[in-house]
Each structure stands twice: as structure tokens, then as C-alpha cells.
């Protein structure tokens, strides 16, 4: 009943299988299978999404905006359509055509293009050092001026926040509480609060009526390098080495948003009332513009080749500047449109400041300070910060700078443990310090 199954070697079985396959496909072995359109489309869509997914949404937005503009424009018959209708009408009979002659002539002969005119830079008085304040025992890393313009605060590697009288340069009070370098300071214009952050991962809120810490904002996973306050709402922003920027509710200490997207340290952060409300610059050499309400990135600017260590917003024009060792670049809000390069400051630019008169100052890691005219990008002065006696020349590094609220005093904090205050030279005039301005015909380095 049970027949013995003939046991063949694996070799024989494989060859039998191959023979069956050969016989089965012999008739159409040279023919390729038909192309499956559906599979091809899926492959193309997948490849394009993988390669261009980051910019596809931006392209779709631009197309939608173009369509909206086209819809909103009043429909006017084009010259070609008028000409076609005229040709059709005159096909059978000679009809007099009294169409608009002027548009057709302008369409054929375009107007001559105007030569680009470079605007002449505004004259700015040169700046000079007027006071050196010493008192910190470590690198002075940050500075913030009080809204009333009476005092300013500095934070340093000695873990102390010091408050100084702006007029006299005298020390008013020292605040201790951080356990590592203080890296960022902001004074609120809406409350009697001072905010500080440091390499100890702490973000603190100090009540200036009692000179005590009243709130801590916990959440950063590494050193916190920069702070910003929203000008109109009670929101605090902080960013640092964990590659994120965090949005905090000032009162409840809640982490409202964590803005992720940068792949390296976020070195600079600014906040404004108009869109984009948040702009961040990172060591990954990108700048991101953020939607505060949604907590999402609106746009990424990838023009810089090296770390973006400083971003500054112009107080009146709707523009901002970003600093990197390759170039200082100016951009237009809200879309982040590139305006121009400010080339020449060949150093690691740690900080920048701008005043309402349009004087932009950039401070380098080697102690160099370049002063620019904001509108034209003309570099009207170059300074080298002198180190205080007893310091090495290599300690001439500028870490932070800010103008006071009048725009007439520039405060810089430096690696020689000093704070320097600069002011305009009152004796200078356009005759003594003329503008040595040679406009370039074309700016060669666009990006």
C-alpha cells in the first residue's frame, strides 16, 4: 500500500526544476515583461519625494501664489489675441482694423534698461573708545541694556551677573546663582524681570525688585547659549547646544513649543512682533524662520557656508542681518529674501549690533570691529580692540555687543574680562573723515 518514494539527490531535483522552467519560458525568453505604468509612477513619486521632499511644499506654495495672483489680475486681451481676431476678421473681406497701435509697438521694441545705480552711503561719524570697565573674573559673554537706559547687565565665565550704571560705569549689584558660565541675558520691558541662561542648562528669571531668582525654566538637554523675549506677549525663547529653540510661557514656566530642525548648536536667536516672529542661526550654517503660533519652520536659508553665530534685526526697516566667517548677509522679512553681502570681515564674527541710524557693527573673535552702513553695506571704519594691560594679545576677542536704547553708546564684552563702551567722535565731520566710496559695478559674490 505504501510505495517507496524514490529518493533523488538534490543535484538531480534542481536540474529537473531548471528543465521545467526552461521549457515553460523558452517560447518568450527574449521578450521583456510589459512596463507597469502604476508601478513606474509610484517609483517616480517615491524618488522625487525622497530627493526633493524638503522643497516640494515650498514649490507648491509658490505655484498656488502665482495662480492666486493670476486670478486676482483683471483679464485684459493680449496683443496676440487681438492680432489673431483681426486676422480672422480680415480673412474673407478687407475690414478696417482700428486696434490699439501703441501696445503692439511697445511689445515689439522693449524699453531700454536703466543702468543699475548704487545708492551713495550715508555719512556716519567714526566711533572711539570712551570707557573700559573691569570687574569680572572670566570671559564676559553677554550684555543686555535695561529699557529705561539707566543700567546694563553683563554675564561672564565667573558665573556672576553684574549690573552696571550706564552713565558712570560703576557696579550697582552682583547676582550669583548660576553654576557655570552665563551665556545669555535679557531685560523685560514689560515686567521688572531679568532673564539669564548659561552652560549649566538653566534658564532663570530674576525679580529685580528683590534681586532673587523667582522662576526656573527646565527642559534644555545641554548648555543654553542665547535668549530672546517677545516684544508684545509674555513669551521667552531660549536656544543652545541641544540644537533646539524652546518657547516658554513666562508666567506658567510651560514649554509651549520645542522648535526642532537644526542639526547643530543654535548660536543665535532673535524675536520680533512681525512675521517671522522667530529667527534662529545655527552652527549647521543655516538660518531658520519660524511660525510662533504653529511652532513650525516656515523657511530655511542655506546661503551661508559656515556657522551662523549672530543675527540682528534692524529696528525700523523690515530686514535682518546674519553673520558667518564667510560673509555678513542681509535679508528681507518676512520671506527671507537675500538682499546683499557685506564682505571683508575675515574673522569668526561672534556678534553684531545695529542702531536706528543704520550703523551696523560686527565683532570678531580676534578683537576686530567693523562698522558698516546698513543700507549700502559700505564699511566706513575698522577698529582693533586693545587688550587691558596684563592680558595676552590672543585675548582680544569680542563675545557680545549691544547699542544702548539711544543708539549713541556701543557696549562690547570681551575675552580680556573687560567691558568697553564706545561713542561717536564729536569732533569728526564729513571733511575730516570723507567717505572713501568706490561702488562695485556688480557684486561678484552673491551667495
Amino acid at each position: 500500500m505504501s510505495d517507496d518514494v524514490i529518493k533523488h539527490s538534490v543535484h538531480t531535483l534542481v536540474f529537473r526544476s531548471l528543465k521545467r522552467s526552461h521549457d515553460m519560458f523558452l517560447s518568450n525568453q527574449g521578450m521583456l515583461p510589459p512596463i507597469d505604468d502604476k508601478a513606474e509612477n509610484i517609483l517616480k513619486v517615491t524618488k522625487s519625494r525622497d530627493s526633493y521632499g524638503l522643497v516640494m511644499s515650498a514649490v507648491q506654495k509658490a505655484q498656488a501664489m502665482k495662480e492666486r495672483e493670476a486670478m486676482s489680475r483683471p483679464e485684459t486681451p493680449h496683443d496676440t489675441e487681438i492680432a489673431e481676431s483681426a486676422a480672422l476678421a480680415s480673412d474673407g473681406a478687407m475690414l478696417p482694423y482700428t486696434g490699439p497701435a501703441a501696445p503692439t509697438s511697445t511689445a515689439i521694441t522693449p524699453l531700454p534698461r536703466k543702468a543699475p545705480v548704487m545708492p551713495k552711503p550715508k555719512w556716519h561719524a567714526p566711533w572711539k573708545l570712551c570707557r573700559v570697565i573691569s570687574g569680572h573674573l572670566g570671559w564676559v559673554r553677554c550684555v543686555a541694556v535695561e529699557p529705561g537706559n539707566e543700567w546694563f547687565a553683563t554675564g561672564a565665565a565667573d558665573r556672576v551677573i553684574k549690573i552696571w550704571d550706564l552713565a558712570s560705569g560703576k557696579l550697582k549689584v552682583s547676582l550669583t546663582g548660576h553654576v557655570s558660565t552665563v551665556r545669555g541675558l535679557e531685560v523685560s520691558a514689560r515686567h521688572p524681570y531679568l532673564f539669564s541662561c548659561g552652560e549649566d542648562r538653566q534658564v532663570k528669571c530674576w525679580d529685580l525688585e528683590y534681586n532673587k531668582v523667582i522662576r526656573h525654566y527646565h527642559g534644555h538637554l545641554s548648555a543654553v547659549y542665547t535668549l530672546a523675549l517677545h516684544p508684545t506677549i509674555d513669551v521667552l525663547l531660549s536656544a543652545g547646544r541641544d540644537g533646539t529653540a524652546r518657547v516658554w510661557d513666562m508666567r506658567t514656566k510651560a514649554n509651549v513649543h520645542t522648535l526642532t530642525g537644526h542639526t547643530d548648536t543654535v548660536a543665535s536667536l532673535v524675536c520680533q512682533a512681525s512675521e517671522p516672529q522667530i529667527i534662529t542661526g545655527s552652527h549647521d550654517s543655516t538660518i531658520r524662520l519660524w511660525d510662533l503660533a504653529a511652532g513650525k519652520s516656515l523657511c530655511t536659508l542655506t546661503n551661508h557656508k559656515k556657522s551662523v553665530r549672530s543675527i540682528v534685526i534692524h529696528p525700523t526697516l523690515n530686514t535682518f542681518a546674519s553673520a558667518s566667517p564667510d560673509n555678513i548677509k542681509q535679508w528681507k522679512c518676512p520671506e527671507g529674501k537675500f538682499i546683499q553681502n557685506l564682505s571683508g570681515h575675515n574673522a569668526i564674527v561672534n556678534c553684531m549690533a545695529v542702531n536706528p541710524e543704520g550703523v551696523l557693527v560686527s565683532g570678531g573673535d580676534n578683537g576686530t570691529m567693523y562698522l558698516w552702513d546698513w543700507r549700502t553695506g559700505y564699511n566706513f571704519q575698522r577698529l582693533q580692540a586693545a587688550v587691558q594691560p596684563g592680558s595676552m594679545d590672543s585675548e582680544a576677542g569680542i563675545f557680545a555687543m549691544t547699542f544702548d536704547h539711544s543708539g549713541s553708546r556701543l557696549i562690547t564684552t570681551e575675552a580680556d574680562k573687560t567691558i568697553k563702551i564706545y561713542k561717536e567722535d564729536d569732533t569728526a565731520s564729513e571733511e575730516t573723515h570723507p567717505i572713501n566710496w568706490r561702488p562695485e559695478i556688480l557684486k561678484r559674490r552673491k551667495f
Side-chain angles (χ1 to χ4, degrees):
M1 211 165 118
S2 60
D3 298 332
D4 289 337
V5 178
I6 301 162
K7 288 184 179 176
H8 294 290
S9 67
V10 175
H11 192 266
T12 310
L13 292 169
V14 166
F15 266 91
R16 280 189 183 177
S17 174
L18 280 171
K19 190 173 183 305
R20 281 197 208 100
S21 303
H22 180 263
D23 294 341
M24 194 182 293
F25 296 112
L26 185 65
S27 56
N28 59 355
Q29 57 140 348
M31 292 163 62
L32 290 168
I35 293 166
D36 187 350
D37 293 334
K38 193 177 176 186
E40 283 289 309
N41 286 338
I42 290 167
L43 177 69
K44 281 179 188 170
V45 168
T46 309
K47 271 194 171 180
S48 65
R49 194 183 296 136
D50 181 48
S51 302
Y52 309 111
L54 294 168
V55 294
M56 276 170 81
S57 59
V59 171
Q60 285 163 2
K61 274 184 196 168
Q63 284 175 345
M65 277 177 74
K66 274 185 187 172
E67 283 169 19
R68 227 175 289 134
E69 281 172 15
M71 292 284 283
S72 62
R73 256 192 239 121
E75 287 187 19
T76 52
H78 296 291
D79 300 335
T80 50
E81 288 171 16
I82 294 165
E84 279 172 20
S85 60
L88 286 167
S90 60
D91 197 24
M94 292 294 284
L95 289 173
Y97 172 60
T98 55
T104 49
S105 63
T106 52
I108 294 159
T109 55
L111 291 166
R113 280 181 67 186
K114 272 189 178 179
V117 180
M118 289 285 286
K120 197 169 189 292
K122 181 184 168 187
W123 183 81
H124 299 286
W127 290 66
K128 63 177 185 182
L129 181 66
C130 69
R131 176 172 283 136
V132 179
I133 302 167
S134 54
H136 277 292
L137 303 175
W139 288 356
V140 192
R141 298 302 304 237
C142 50
V143 59
V145 180
E146 174 252 346
N149 218 35
E150 289 179 5
W151 53 264
F152 65 95
T154 55
D158 59 5
R159 306 171 304 212
V160 180
I161 298 163
K162 288 183 184 280
I163 291 173
W164 311 85
D165 185 70
L166 185 59
S168 65
K170 297 261 170 47
L171 179 66
K172 287 165 83 81
V173 71
S174 293
L175 305 173
T176 55
H178 278 281
V179 293
S180 190
T181 305
V182 182
R183 291 295 295 262
L185 288 171
E186 281 292 330
V187 187
S188 174
R190 299 156 56 83
H191 311 283
Y193 296 157
L194 168 73
F195 295 90
S196 65
C197 67
E199 290 179 10
D200 50 10
R201 298 182 294 187
Q202 293 185 39
V203 181
K204 294 176 186 280
C205 172
W206 304 77
D207 189 325
L208 295 171
E209 288 172 352
Y210 301 98
N211 294 338
K212 287 198 175 119
V213 177
I214 53 165
R215 293 190 194 101
H216 283 98
Y217 302 87
H218 295 288
H220 276 286
L221 307 174
S222 193
V224 190
Y225 284 170
T226 178
L227 276 182
L229 286 171
H230 195 285
T232 55
I233 54 176
D234 288 346
V235 159
L236 169 70
L237 296 107
S238 60
R241 209 167 62 198
D242 58 5
T244 66
R246 289 174 190 263
V247 182
W248 309 92
D249 185 311
M250 201 185 281
R251 293 209 173 279
T252 64
K253 301 179 281 186
N255 187 180
V256 181
H257 293 303
T258 302
L259 310 176
T260 55
H262 284 296
T263 56
D264 206 338
T265 300
V266 181
S268 49
L269 167 72
V270 287
C271 194
Q272 59 178 357
S274 58
E275 290 298 329
Q277 293 185 50
I278 306 166
I279 306 166
T280 56
S282 167
H283 286 194
D284 64 9
S285 75
T286 65
I287 299 159
R288 280 181 183 258
L289 283 64
W290 302 86
D291 180 352
L292 176 59
K296 287 186 180 159
S297 177
L298 292 168
C299 143
T300 307
L301 310 174
T302 57
N303 301 40
H304 280 292
K305 306 286 187 295
K306 293 181 180 175
S307 304
V308 182
R309 287 170 186 256
S310 180
I311 290 174
V312 69
I313 296 173
H314 193 281
T316 51
L317 307 173
N318 199 23
T319 54
F320 68 95
S322 58
S324 173
D326 57 359
N327 261 319
I328 295 167
K329 294 179 188 291
Q330 287 180 342
W331 314 85
K332 192 165 174 53
C333 295
E335 70 279 6
K337 189 182 171 193
F338 175 77
I339 300 170
Q340 66 177 349
N341 273 331
L342 278 62
S343 301
H345 199 170
N346 300 319
I348 296 169
V349 181
N350 282 328
C351 51
M352 289 193 298
V354 62
N355 72 2
E357 273 73 56
V359 176
L360 173 70
V361 190
S362 54
D365 217 31
N366 55 1
T368 54
M369 256 171 62
Y370 279 41
L371 289 91
W372 315 79
D373 176 48
W374 180 280
R375 202 165 57 93
T376 57
Y378 166 65
N379 176 211
F380 68 89
Q381 191 183 3
R382 297 180 179 189
L383 293 168
Q384 171 70 49
V387 294
Q388 71 167 333
S391 294
M392 294 182 291
D393 288 341
S394 59
E395 285 187 300
I398 303 168
F399 288 125
M401 58 170 55
T402 186
F403 281 99
D404 72 347
H405 292 288
S406 68
S408 63
R409 294 286 181 277
L410 173 69
I411 305 163
T412 66
T413 65
E414 310 200 2
D416 63 354
K417 304 171 191 169
T418 64
I419 300 143
K420 295 188 172 79
I421 300 177
Y422 294 81
K423 67 173 185 179
E424 285 184 333
D425 188 351
D426 301 329
T427 59
S429 67
E430 240 174 302
E431 285 73 41
T432 58
H433 293 77
I435 295 172
N436 181 23
W437 182 66
R438 292 189 301 276
E440 295 175 33
I441 296 163
L442 283 170
K443 294 217 170 187
R444 283 170 203 84
R445 291 176 67 186
K446 269 287 180 192
F447 298 104

